[in-house]
Amino acid sequence: MNFLAHIYLSGDSDELKIGNFVGDYVKGRDYEKYPLQIKNGIILHRNIDSYTDNHPVVKLSKAHFITRYHKFSGVIVDILYDHFLAKDWDRFSDQPLHEFLQDFHQLIIEHSDILPIGVKSILPFFILDNWVDTYLTIEGIEKIFILMSKNTSLPYENNYAVEVLKNNYEALRKEFYEFFPQIIKYVEEKNQIKIRGLH
């Protein structure tokens, strides 16, 4: 799961949203230095990642990209699942996407003092460039692939990834729709979180 899904799967708790948002940037037991609910959000992030990585439907989605991306195919799928969530947001939430994001941007700015350094460094770009809006189009997704391949260990296979996405768009969308209700149910039942929305 990527940024949008992690925030959405936090329910209505501001602290859980913050913890879930920063989860990738808090290593080992460093989460223990945060307030309780933010700590719980970091743990939730890890639980969501573990559930996602081991889910058979997600493995099907990864298989579309495995020949070029290998262990990084999960990163590609995370971004694409956020794309499908953003595209069909009205099916999952009664709050418009732009309002949801504005509320979160304000929340994260108000708590910027406790964010990990890695999150602070990307925050201006995350907000000013409105990364999640970029997920709405295939062209935007390609820009994200290019940016990540320049700044992370993600292989530079952007043309390949976009071609696979275009050729398998409906199959990937179907896999997302099979998987996402299941992770909502998992989060609600296993983590006692009520996720607001229309699911």
Side-chain angles (χ1 to χ4, degrees):
M1 294 287 93
N2 214 334
F3 290 121
L4 182 59
H6 274 293
I7 299 166
Y8 173 80
L9 292 169
S10 301
D12 288 332
S13 168
D14 288 347
E15 290 81 7
L16 284 180
K17 287 178 182 177
I18 294 169
N20 211 340
F21 178 69
V22 304
D24 280 334
Y25 296 85
V26 180
K27 306 303 181 184
R29 301 191 68 85
D30 286 350
Y31 67 91
E32 293 180 344
K33 67 184 181 182
Y34 290 92
L36 178 61
Q37 278 296 83
I38 292 179
K39 178 170 69 174
N40 288 341
I42 296 168
I43 294 171
L44 173 62
H45 181 107
R46 295 178 181 183
N47 290 343
I48 289 170
D49 280 356
S50 178
Y51 179 88
T52 301
D53 290 343
N54 291 288
H55 198 283
V57 174
V58 177
K59 290 180 180 179
L60 285 176
S61 294
K62 291 179 183 179
H64 295 285
F65 303 93
I66 199 75
T67 56
R68 297 280 186 93
Y69 280 98
H70 308 291
K71 67 179 181 179
F72 296 101
S73 58
V75 176
I76 301 300
V77 171
D78 284 347
I79 293 170
L80 296 184
Y81 278 14
D82 258 17
H83 164 70
F84 293 121
L85 176 58
K87 285 278 288 185
D88 293 330
W89 179 260
D90 291 346
R91 295 192 181 193
F92 295 98
S93 178
D94 53 7
Q95 182 183 20
L97 180 58
H98 73 277
E99 289 183 9
F100 179 85
L101 293 174
Q102 285 177 351
D103 289 348
F104 181 71
H105 290 165
Q106 186 61 38
L107 172 68
I108 211 72
I109 289 169
E110 290 173 356
H111 293 82
S112 60
D113 57 315
I114 64 170
L115 300 178
I117 293 175
V119 176
K120 288 181 180 179
S121 67
I122 67 166
L123 196 59
F125 307 102
F126 179 79
I127 294 174
L128 295 176
D129 294 343
N130 211 344
W131 279 8
V132 177
D133 268 359
T134 309
Y135 291 178
L136 287 168
T137 66
I138 292 177
E139 293 76 16
I141 291 172
E142 185 174 13
K143 290 179 182 178
I144 291 173
F145 291 160
I146 293 171
L147 181 65
M148 292 186 67
S149 64
K150 289 180 178 178
N151 296 286
T152 71
S153 300
L154 189 72
Y156 194 85
E157 295 286 355
N158 313 304
N159 292 337
Y160 170 80
V162 172
E163 181 180 356
V164 170
L165 172 59
K166 289 179 177 177
N167 291 339
N168 298 275
Y169 192 88
E170 288 306 319
L172 286 160
R173 186 172 182 269
K174 182 179 178 181
E175 287 158 11
F176 165 78
Y177 268 103
E178 184 177 351
F179 166 73
F180 204 65
Q182 294 182 48
I183 197 169
I184 290 173
K185 183 178 180 180
Y186 164 78
V187 169
E188 289 190 325
E189 292 182 353
K190 300 297 183 182
N191 298 274
Q192 290 78 53
I193 296 170
K194 177 58 182 172
I195 299 174
R196 171 185 172 191
L198 305 176
H199 54 273

